[in-house]
Amino acid sequence: MGEIMSTEKKNIVILSIETSCDETSAAIVKNGTELISHVVHSQIVSHKRFGGVVPEIASRHHVEMITYVIEKAIQDASYDWSEIDAVAVTQGPGLVGALLVGLHAAKALAFAHQKPLIPVHHIAGHIYANALVEPLVYPLIALVVSGGHTELIYMKAPGYFEVIGETRDDAVGEAYDKVARKLNMPYPGGPHIDHLAKQGKATYSLPRAWLEEGSLDFSFSGLKSAVINLMHNLEQKNEPISPENMAASFQESVLDVLIQKTEQALERYSVNHLIVAGGVAANLGLRAELEKLKKRKGIQISIPPLALCTDNAAMIGAAGYVAYQNGVRAGMDCNAEPGLNLDDFSS
Amino acid sequence: MKRLLIMDTCTKTLGVALTEGHVVLAEQTIEAVQNHSKFLMPTIEAVIHTAKLTPSQLEGIVVAKGPGSYTGVRIGVTVAKTLAWTLKLPLYAISSLKGMALSEQNLRPFSGWLIPIIDARRNTVFTGAYRKKADGSWESKGDRHISFETWLRLLKEMNEPIRFIGGDVPLFQTQIEAVFGALSELPVFSLHVSSYVEAGTIDYLVDVVHDFVPEYLRLAEAEQKWMAKMKGGHVDV
Ligand SMILES: [Zn+2]
């Protein structure tokens, strides 16, 4: 075989799959930066009747949709298997039964077409969603806020993750959902509270959980309970409750903590790039506060577009590319890891 | 002669086989698997490699579609439908209960009704009744999820020779003996998915691979409660 010297870098095309919660999603991503095709099937309509995601139902829907979604991603890209270099899939964290469906589809495809299998950490995906929009500038801090996660992550290099702060109880999106339920708003509650908060004022006094001096960890269950207790007391006394002001007070308390801890992290690790990701990154109140932070600190802040903030496979393809380049591979015995640790995933 | 990959992950037993016509090229059965997720794909890989074949040389996929453990059933069905779709192969689906009956009949032929039992908790079972007729064809009384007590009563009323089969039978031994008298021996059961080759026929062909889902035989608990609420009645679990 003759030696072919090429100055042209070979494109790496990844088929990615994400089924960690209630979205069945597949994507084709080129070089970790270019989104060729993207299919997301949301089950939210089905789960709404239960007021939240039911794991068993989520798993059943994934089986119904999985091959449709993958086929559409491949067809939309007009790619065939000879052009696909690897299969990336969310290994965890997430709902185990849901994760298993995507993982097994991915394993079957990798096996059938003899392609490498790349396990991806869901949060790494949320962070790398940004790589589909603009290049990441290392070192950086990532703030991941969603229904399942509230984390501050320090990244000194591609594929390197150090969790420097995380929630000790409820995720921020979870607190939003619970407070929304108390205010009689439908699931998922986050966008409703955000909308309501804009019309109100933070007139109710609610706690902020700073935890011990210097900690970058979060805690939202106390705040959630404070809202519920306050409303209960007001109801007992037959005093009127302003849902707008309650939402505004709750949101202010959440954002105070999120922004201050993030600012502390930026200072401690002296980074110039902040990435904000996860479903709660769509929150307008949060976006407004981040805008102020950006002016105050003179740093670059990236928030992926809404479609890439919620759970999706495109982000798994972007993170999968970095893992692929770092040599991360999984065998056919790869198992779903509902509690997968991000620090352990560093490559 | 069709080359079939056969798999069953519905119970604690993991079974994978590769057959060509009625020849078993390779078969692996692993009992008491705690984790089908870790073992199914490596076993498929091993079975195909043992036969010195590659995935592209397969000609059909056979899978036990349930009932059984929700997670186990989903793992098998997801792998089977993904392989069938991506390799453009016919997919054949067989009841896990019939699979048990076929395994038993191959090993210890019986002229009465074979009663496969899969524990479904709260003293309920996934079960059915299968009998191989003299002409070689099978008759069945339909798979069901039923309280074991009720099932025993129905079987007693049937008043025909029966044999309980499956790894979960010992769990129900006392109840069985209370109705039918002492079992002469504790049934030894072993699953052999190569005997499902019978399922590689047109009767079991899945029309639309994309739409193929497990046979759970039971709604998810949240759905049962939701349906009951919609009807305004009580929860019938
Ligand atoms: Zn997420």
Side-chain angles (χ1 to χ4, degrees), chain A residues 18 20 122-123 126 146-149 278-279 309-311 315:
Chain A
E18 148 71 35
S20 68
H122 182 77
I123 296 300
H126 275 304
S146 74
H149 302 277
C309 273
T310 47
D311 291 349
M315 68 185 200

Side-chain angles (χ1 to χ4, degrees), chain A residues 20-103:
Chain A
S20 68
C21 190
D22 62 341
E23 330 274 345
T24 317
S25 181
I28 303 273
V29 176
K30 194 200 265 183
N31 298 328
T33 54
E34 202 182 322
L35 187 53
I36 308 295
S37 68
H38 192 199
V39 181
V40 182
H41 176 264
S42 173
Q43 311 172 352
I44 197 144
V45 177
S46 174
H47 294 286
K48 257 188 174 150
R49 60 196 157 136
F50 308 114
V53 175
V54 178
E56 174 60 23
I57 310 266
S59 308
R60 291 187 180 196
H61 286 316
H62 285 310
V63 182
E64 286 163 24
M65 294 310 297
I66 190 73
T67 56
Y68 275 117
V69 167
I70 299 169
E71 180 174 75
K72 181 148 183 7
I74 295 175
Q75 280 175 352
D76 287 356
S78 311
Y79 275 39
D80 65 46
W81 278 97
S82 66
E83 297 162 291
I84 294 170
D85 297 285
V87 181
V89 64
T90 309
Q91 186 187 9
L95 304 169
V96 65
L99 288 166
L100 283 171
V101 176
L103 178 65

Side-chain angles (χ1 to χ4, degrees), chain B residues 10-27:
Chain B
C10 297
T11 62
K12 286 200 242 359
T13 308
L14 169 69
V16 177
L18 190 61
T19 61
E20 196 167 61
H22 285 274
V23 179
V24 182
L25 298 176
E27 175 158 19

